Amino acid sequence: CADECGVPNGDNTSCADECGVPNGDNSTCSGCTDPEANNYDSSAIVNDGSCDYVVSQNIMLSQGWSLVSTYIDPVTNELNEIFSDVVNDLVIVKDEDGAVYWPQFGLNNIGGLTIGEGYQVKMNEENTLVVSGSLIPYDTSFDLNSGWNIMGYLHQNPYDVTFMMSSMNINNLIILKDENGNVFWPQF
């Protein structure tokens, strides 16, 4: 009598995967095997590369207006949760369409952060916003609308603007400004 591997009088071990399943593909015992990861699976034997780690970004919010974005996909995406630790100093958050998160009036018509977008933030006092979650791949593409946009920055380190905009059709870019009024004007 042959086992499931076709071996006469066999015990199914000659074709078993790492999970012990004859002719298996390791899917029954695969997962994240790193106990430091957010999605650690204590029953997983085979690491399938799916481990997810929480990282944090500290964003300095100046008194007055700031332009901010994040390279983090937050654990929780609602603005009231993200800004909860600085809400006593926060006046208002605005997106590029004019939608606002205005905690004083219980108003949030932005909802949550959108990957690749930036936001205007007005503070009564300087404070540090800590955003925790997983890293957004720096090469994530996002669409820009015709007209003005508040574009997010997905890198952890600063880079030269000419290099950063080199993958974009430069004929579509008229002017790029930072919060201090510095400009990148490809035509000139």
Side-chain angles (χ1 to χ4, degrees):
C1 178
D3 67 6
E4 292 181 50
C5 300
V7 177
N9 299 318
D11 62 2
N12 294 327
T13 58
S14 63
C15 68
D17 67 5
E18 294 177 67
C19 306
V21 176
N23 299 308
D25 62 0
N26 290 335
S27 62
T28 60
C29 68
S30 294
C32 176
T33 60
D34 185 349
E36 300 297 316
N38 296 336
N39 59 334
Y40 170 64
D41 182 352
S42 61
S43 65
I45 297 170
V46 177
N47 192 336
D48 63 2
S50 68
C51 294
D52 185 32
Y53 301 90
V54 171
V55 291
S56 295
Q57 177 185 9
N58 294 330
I59 302 172
M60 178 56 71
L61 301 172
S62 301
Q63 182 180 12
W65 286 100
S66 298
L67 284 176
V68 300
S69 69
T70 183
Y71 50 78
I72 303 291
D73 187 5
V75 172
T76 179
N77 196 33
E78 293 299 315
L79 290 182
N80 61 323
E81 292 291 326
I82 293 169
F83 283 90
S84 65
D85 290 341
V86 299
V87 73
N88 291 336
D89 297 321
L90 176 67
V91 177
I92 193 170
V93 178
K94 294 170 54 174
D95 71 7
E96 68 187 12
D97 298 318
V100 299
Y101 167 54
W102 207 342
Q104 179 182 356
F105 298 104
L107 180 61
N108 181 6
N109 55 14
I110 296 175
L113 290 179
T114 300
I115 291 173
E117 286 193 13
Y119 300 87
Q120 296 174 305
V121 178
K122 185 172 185 184
M123 301 288 291
N124 281 324
E125 298 291 332
E126 181 179 288
N127 208 325
T128 302
L129 176 67
V130 179
V131 181
S132 298
S134 54
L135 283 175
I136 299 169
Y138 69 86
D139 58 353
T140 298
S141 63
F142 49 89
D143 295 325
L144 296 174
N145 301 317
S146 178
W148 287 102
N149 294 268
I150 303 178
M151 181 174 61
Y153 187 74
L154 303 180
H155 288 264
Q156 296 180 55
N157 297 305
Y159 289 96
D160 178 73
V161 67
T162 305
F163 171 75
M164 294 305 296
M165 301 311 292
S166 65
S167 66
M168 182 177 177
N169 179 348
I170 208 70
N171 295 323
N172 291 331
L173 178 65
I174 298 169
I175 191 168
L176 183 72
K177 294 173 38 175
D178 69 11
E179 70 181 316
N180 298 317
N182 298 309
V183 299
F184 170 63
W185 209 336
Q187 184 178 358
F188 297 102

